[in-house]
Amino acid sequence: MGLKSFIEVDLNSHFPLENLPYGVCKPLHGEGFSPRPCVAIGNHVLDLSVIASSGLFNGPLLSKSSDCFLQTNLNKFVGLGRPAWKEARSTLQKLLSADEPTLRDNASLREKSLLPMDKVEMLLPTAIGDYTDFFSSMHHAKNCGTIFRGSENPIPANWFHLPIAYHGRASSIVISGTDIARPKGQARPVGNSPPYFGPSEKLDFELEMAAVVGPGNDLGKPVDVNEASDHIFGLVLMNDWSATTLSPWIVTLEALEPFVCDAHKQEPHPLPYLAEKTSKNYDISLEVHIKPVGHEQSSIVTRSNFKHLYWTLTQQVAHHTINGCNLRPGDIFGSGTISGPEPESYGCLLELTWNGTKPLSVNNSTRKFLEDGDEVIITGSCKGNNYNVGFGTCTGRIVPSRT
Amino acid sequence: MGLKSFIEVDLNSHFPLENLPYGVCKPLHGEGFSPRPCVAIGNHVLDLSVIASSGLFNGPLLSKSSDCFLQTNLNKFVGLGRPAWKEARSTLQKLLSADEPTLRDNASLREKSLLPMDKVEMLLPTAIGDYTDFFSSMHHAKNCGTIFRGSENPIPANWFHLPIAYHGRASSIVISGTDIARPKGQARPVGNSPPYFGPSEKLDFELEMAAVVGPGNDLGKPVDVNEASDHIFGLVLMNDWSATTLSPWIVTLEALEPFVCDAHKQEPHPLPYLAEKTSKNYDISLEVHIKPVGHEQSSIVTRSNFKHLYWTLTQQVAHHTINGCNLRPGDIFGSGTISGPEPESYGCLLELTWNGTKPLSVNNSTRKFLEDGDEVIITGSCKGNNYNVGFGTCTGRIVPSRT
Ligand SMILES: [Ca+2]
Ligand SMILES: [Ca+2]
Ligand SMILES: [Mg+2]
Ligand SMILES: [Mg+2]
Ligand code: NI
């Protein structure tokens, strides 16, 4: 049985009292509203700036630092660290529970603090200083290697020794729902012909999740792999296509704790700085749907799971900082495309259509890659006993290149 | 003959009235001073927050937006664009000139606004949202290609079709004078042996300059190459080693205008989106000095020039945005290592010692790569008629890896 809130939460909701994911919203109606932190509960958001201003964060840590909820992003809160996160969770679970009168019986406070989800605009939850994108799915690495270099040794040897990553661009990270213009650039399709210029012909989605960094580390001071989980606040859904799209709700590691599973076995055994006392992953079901241009309905194109990743979040943190690199609160780590072992669980069209050689049936259409007007919807959730801990959706639509 | 200020400016100074580079400083003595924008004049800094608060930015644009000088970084000012930059330059050149009494004859205002350089700490001039590092020196590309892949076709064909870049990390950009810890990581020195872990054995400097982005562009809206110079505020010195070190003073394109020179001839002719009506570069002499650990004196190791770059700043902006990528005020573009054609003008130890095969004599020592305790000093300036427009120095010292 799930926990009970005085706010009605549908059985299929992604946002019961067990979840309480954090976001940043802006009320759509009324003047002078700035962005403010909130949590999701059922199909409402609870405005944390109102809760903080009312003095209801009264635990030992947050009573002194509840101005973290008077900011326009969550950076200050996520920088406080796990003891403060646990205290906030416990305060909010109590405040929203069915048998707690403080908010339940205060009509004026409810009116001010609880808003229907369709009456707010969701914004990026943190100011992202840096964005690193890993490449942590072995199935994805193997498929890409096979497609581009052939089936002999598709995965380079170093892949098994460290979590490879590249550094992404923070400016072009956008919130779910933002249209994405097809990029233009140079390409060189055949042998020695000169490059041509034009819109991208193979535009893809990439099913990923992103971890949000909590407390950072100083330049030159690596984070120990066994303490690295204290530097991860939570996870969101991510589509890494031309820009990078994030879902608005950060689901905390606390909410994900019931869905911990064993991490992938690693062979060869990693070097000591990557060797964990206990190595864990999370069982999060993921789906991608495409709504082809001109269609009313979307159609599922893949079912994968976060647990398919080979490298863990904590190993990513340890590797990222071992050279002395400093992380800052609100930074994000993309997981890399999350492909499972079966063809039905591949995380991008490159793999699903094998570089366009096996077009995919989507509703009554077929797709090799994305076409202008196509909408991509990622969703993810964990199935508990009579409740879900879900991520909502991460959506976006391709629009033509600007001329 | 140079312009004359009522403040004494040494003939060899990098900072005469013709320069007026922008930085952000914090007074070292006294309480409650926050970082504030300033310009350099001789061996003083002029505190622009005091000038703004005194109502002396009284031109048509800045009289309405002089709060850009009440910020803790220059992002708001550089975001205003070239007309505001020109107005600020003209206001400040007049205010500091020998025959203008407003500041010259106001002892109390002078006291508040003019500080000796050794009484302030310099900070990073902008909050850097994203940092892109180009690879725009053909000599550097050729040398690296020859060292790592052999002398046949050392430069890949695509290098001549577009300004290649990689995305760097913003968090680890530090101000001149910051110690840099030797990074640790995995390496695999020979054939099939397993990787080992340890401090970097080939730690290098890279002589670069960085451009500071002014007004940005919207996601999905490329910047035309012939309008791209309006998106560049100015240049600083940069050492791209483990972290990235910047010099504190941004020299504006206005101050560099007398030192414009023709850009490199480009063959093949670039695609239309990179083809400029007039293509220009800047004649900026650059030097790198090393002070080996335990030595009192530094010794010059290379002399290069910004004009050796093949791709122009404006082509970098056009290429970076052609895929729809958005730039934001305060972003930086590294040039890539600036090597000239002669061995004495190579921009890093990798090239100067040919990957350690020809050790370099530095004072009474030799170096293949940097050793713990070595200090690297980059300096750069343009020689005018009886004045310099200089960049000051960009310095840093290697300290051992933390254990
Ligand atoms: Ca990716
Ligand atoms: Ca570089
Ligand atoms: Mg990607
Ligand atoms: Mg570099
Ligand atoms: Ni003085």
Side-chain angles (χ1 to χ4, degrees):
Chain A
M1 254 314 281
L3 302 175
K4 185 103 186 86
S5 171
F6 66 86
I7 296 168
E8 193 181 285
V9 178
D10 190 271
L11 250 189
N12 298 317
S13 172
H14 278 197
F15 309 125
L17 204 45
E18 287 86 349
N19 192 351
L20 295 186
Y22 289 84
V24 167
C25 71
K26 196 161 172 265
L28 283 171
H29 305 292
E31 303 242 320
F33 285 120
S34 56
R36 72 265 327 271
C38 58
V39 291
I41 177 78
N43 50 23
H44 283 75
V45 306
L46 178 69
D47 180 339
L48 300 183
S49 73
V50 175
I51 301 304
S53 300
S54 307
L56 294 172
F57 284 107
N58 51 16
L61 298 171
L62 288 168
S63 56
K64 287 178 224 121
S65 49
S66 70
D67 67 326
C68 66
F69 297 120
L70 305 179
Q71 313 295 318
T72 58
N73 57 51
L74 286 163
N75 292 49
K76 198 162 178 183
F77 175 56
V78 305
L80 292 178
R82 177 138 290 120
W85 308 338
K86 286 191 184 232
E87 186 179 301
R89 180 172 173 82
S90 141
T91 297
L92 293 170
Q93 280 192 329
K94 181 163 182 236
L95 196 63
L96 290 165
S97 75
D99 49 12
E100 166 64 33
T102 313
L103 180 58
R104 185 193 66 197
D105 298 346
N106 185 333
S108 136
L109 186 60
R110 279 203 323 270
E111 172 91 3
K112 276 195 290 182
S113 64
L114 282 163
L115 295 165
M117 262 188 199
D118 58 6
K119 295 283 185 285
V120 298
E121 177 189 1
M122 297 304 298
L123 306 171
L124 283 177
T126 64
I128 299 165
D130 282 289
Y131 149 44
T132 303
D133 198 15
F134 285 84
F135 184 57
S136 289
S137 156
M138 185 176 63
H139 309 293
H140 176 62
K142 185 179 174 188
N143 289 333
C144 294
T146 305
I147 289 168
F148 292 120
R149 292 187 307 274
S151 57
E152 205 173 317
N153 295 320
I155 306 183
N158 68 348
W159 193 92
F160 291 98
H161 291 288
L162 51 85
I164 289 174
Y166 83 102
H167 199 77
R169 184 151 183 106
S171 72
S172 53
I173 298 176
V174 297
I175 191 70
S176 177
T178 307
D179 285 347
I180 304 295
R182 181 177 297 268
K184 291 180 291 189
Q186 295 192 31
R188 195 191 196 192
V190 276
N192 280 322
S193 63
Y196 73 91
F197 175 80
S200 175
E201 293 182 345
K202 293 183 174 179
L203 185 54
D204 205 350
F205 66 81
E206 287 185 336
L207 167 61
E208 301 199 28
M209 295 192 78
V212 178
V213 172
N217 61 302
D218 290 339
L219 186 63
K221 268 197 180 167
V223 175
D224 186 284
V225 71
N226 292 305
E227 289 160 17
S229 70
D230 286 342
H231 294 264
I232 300 289
F233 177 66
L235 293 173
V236 295
L237 304 170
M238 171 167 140
N239 185 353
D240 183 27
W241 32 2
S242 171
T244 298
T245 306
L246 299 184
S247 62
W249 296 109
I250 310 176
V251 176
T252 63
L253 294 198
E254 278 70 41
L256 292 171
E257 194 59 31
F259 310 100
V260 162
C261 59
D262 286 343
H264 207 286
K265 190 172 148 30
Q266 297 183 334
E267 187 53 49
H269 199 67
L271 280 165
Y273 82 94
L274 292 173
E276 306 187 81
K277 284 177 193 149
T278 59
S279 197
K280 63 193 194 183
N281 207 341
Y282 296 92
D283 182 356
I284 306 168
S285 300
L286 301 167
E287 293 181 358
V288 181
H289 301 246
I290 293 179
K291 188 161 128 188
V293 60
H295 289 235
E296 289 297 309
Q297 298 295 320
S298 64
S299 168
I300 190 164
V301 296
T302 192
R303 282 185 181 87
S304 187
N305 194 302
F306 188 74
K307 72 181 176 191
H308 292 312
L309 293 174
Y310 182 92
W311 293 103
T312 65
L313 289 172
T314 36
Q315 288 176 320
Q316 291 172 349
V317 170
H319 183 68
H320 203 304
T321 61
I322 190 63
N323 61 1
C325 183
N326 54 326
L327 307 177
R328 294 180 292 189
D331 285 352
I332 68 165
F333 283 12
S335 58
T337 305
I338 305 172
S339 294
E342 313 295 340
E344 301 77 31
S345 63
Y346 292 169
C348 58
L349 289 172
L350 173 75
E351 292 168 80
L352 289 164
T353 71
W354 215 251
N355 200 15
T357 60
K358 300 176 186 170
L360 194 70
S361 162
V362 185
N363 284 356
N364 310 321
S365 260
T366 61
R367 283 293 178 278
K368 294 177 178 176
F369 289 95
L370 295 173
E371 296 184 7
D372 289 349
D374 284 354
E375 189 177 343
V376 175
I377 304 112
I378 299 179
T379 180
S381 69
C382 307
K383 197 101 204 117
N385 190 4
N386 257 341
Y387 69 95
N388 306 299
V389 166
F391 289 79
T393 59
C394 177
T395 72
R397 199 168 51 102
I398 300 300
V399 297
S401 302
R402 301 213 200 186
T403 45
Chain B
M1 255 314 281
L3 302 175
K4 185 104 186 83
S5 171
F6 66 86
I7 296 168
E8 192 180 286
V9 178
D10 190 273
L11 250 190
N12 297 317
S13 172
H14 278 196
F15 308 124
L17 204 45
E18 286 86 349
N19 192 351
L20 294 187
Y22 290 84
V24 168
C25 71
K26 196 163 173 265
L28 283 172
H29 305 292
E31 303 243 322
F33 284 120
S34 56
R36 71 265 327 270
C38 58
V39 291
I41 175 77
N43 50 23
H44 283 74
V45 306
L46 178 70
D47 180 338
L48 301 183
S49 73
V50 174
I51 301 303
S53 299
S54 308
L56 293 172
F57 285 106
N58 51 15
L61 298 171
L62 287 168
S63 57
K64 286 180 225 121
S65 49
S66 71
D67 67 328
C68 66
F69 297 120
L70 305 179
Q71 314 294 318
T72 58
N73 58 51
L74 286 162
N75 292 49
K76 198 161 179 183
F77 175 57
V78 305
L80 291 178
R82 176 139 290 121
W85 308 337
K86 287 191 184 233
E87 186 179 301
R89 179 172 174 82
S90 140
T91 296
L92 293 170
Q93 280 192 329
K94 180 163 182 234
L95 197 62
L96 290 165
S97 75
D99 49 12
E100 167 63 33
T102 312
L103 179 58
R104 184 193 67 196
D105 299 345
N106 185 333
S108 137
L109 186 60
R110 276 201 328 268
E111 173 91 3
K112 276 196 290 182
S113 65
L114 280 163
L115 295 164
M117 262 188 199
D118 58 6
K119 296 283 185 285
V120 298
E121 177 190 2
M122 296 304 297
L123 306 171
L124 284 177
T126 64
I128 300 164
D130 282 289
Y131 148 44
T132 304
D133 198 16
F134 285 85
F135 184 58
S136 289
S137 155
M138 184 175 64
H139 309 294
H140 176 62
K142 185 178 174 189
N143 290 333
C144 294
T146 305
I147 289 169
F148 292 120
R149 291 186 308 274
S151 56
E152 205 173 314
N153 294 321
I155 306 182
N158 67 348
W159 193 92
F160 292 97
H161 291 288
L162 51 85
I164 289 174
Y166 83 102
H167 198 77
R169 183 148 184 108
S171 72
S172 53
I173 298 176
V174 297
I175 191 71
S176 178
T178 307
D179 286 347
I180 304 293
R182 181 177 297 268
K184 291 180 293 188
Q186 296 192 32
R188 195 190 197 193
V190 276
N192 279 323
S193 62
Y196 72 92
F197 176 80
S200 175
E201 293 182 345
K202 292 183 173 179
L203 185 54
D204 205 350
F205 66 81
E206 287 184 337
L207 167 61
E208 302 198 26
M209 294 192 79
V212 178
V213 171
N217 61 300
D218 290 338
L219 187 63
K221 268 197 180 168
V223 174
D224 186 283
V225 71
N226 291 306
E227 289 161 16
S229 70
D230 286 342
H231 293 264
I232 300 288
F233 177 66
L235 292 173
V236 295
L237 303 170
M238 171 167 139
N239 185 354
D240 183 25
W241 31 5
S242 170
T244 300
T245 306
L246 298 183
S247 62
W249 296 109
I250 310 175
V251 177
T252 64
L253 293 199
E254 278 71 42
L256 292 171
E257 194 59 32
F259 311 99
V260 161
C261 60
D262 286 343
H264 207 285
K265 190 171 149 29
Q266 298 182 333
E267 187 53 49
H269 199 67
L271 281 165
Y273 82 93
L274 292 173
E276 306 187 81
K277 284 177 194 152
T278 59
S279 197
K280 62 192 194 183
N281 206 341
Y282 296 92
D283 182 356
I284 305 168
S285 299
L286 300 166
E287 293 180 359
V288 181
H289 301 247
I290 292 179
K291 189 162 126 187
V293 58
H295 288 236
E296 290 295 310
Q297 298 294 321
S298 65
S299 168
I300 191 164
V301 296
T302 194
R303 282 187 181 85
S304 187
N305 195 302
F306 188 75
K307 73 181 176 191
H308 292 312
L309 293 174
Y310 182 91
W311 294 102
T312 65
L313 290 172
T314 35
Q315 288 177 319
Q316 290 172 350
V317 170
H319 182 67
H320 203 306
T321 60
I322 190 63
N323 61 2
C325 183
N326 54 327
L327 307 177
R328 294 180 292 189
D331 285 353
I332 68 166
F333 282 12
S335 59
T337 305
I338 305 171
S339 295
E342 313 295 339
E344 302 77 31
S345 63
Y346 292 168
C348 58
L349 289 172
L350 173 76
E351 292 168 79
L352 288 165
T353 72
W354 214 251
N355 199 14
T357 60
K358 300 176 186 170
L360 195 68
S361 162
V362 185
N363 285 356
N364 310 321
S365 261
T366 61
R367 283 293 178 277
K368 293 178 178 175
F369 288 95
L370 295 173
E371 296 183 8
D372 290 349
D374 283 354
E375 190 176 345
V376 174
I377 303 112
I378 299 178
T379 180
S381 69
C382 307
K383 198 102 203 116
N385 191 4
N386 256 342
Y387 69 95
N388 305 300
V389 167
F391 290 78
T393 59
C394 177
T395 72
R397 197 168 53 100
I398 300 300
V399 296
S401 302
R402 300 212 200 186
T403 46

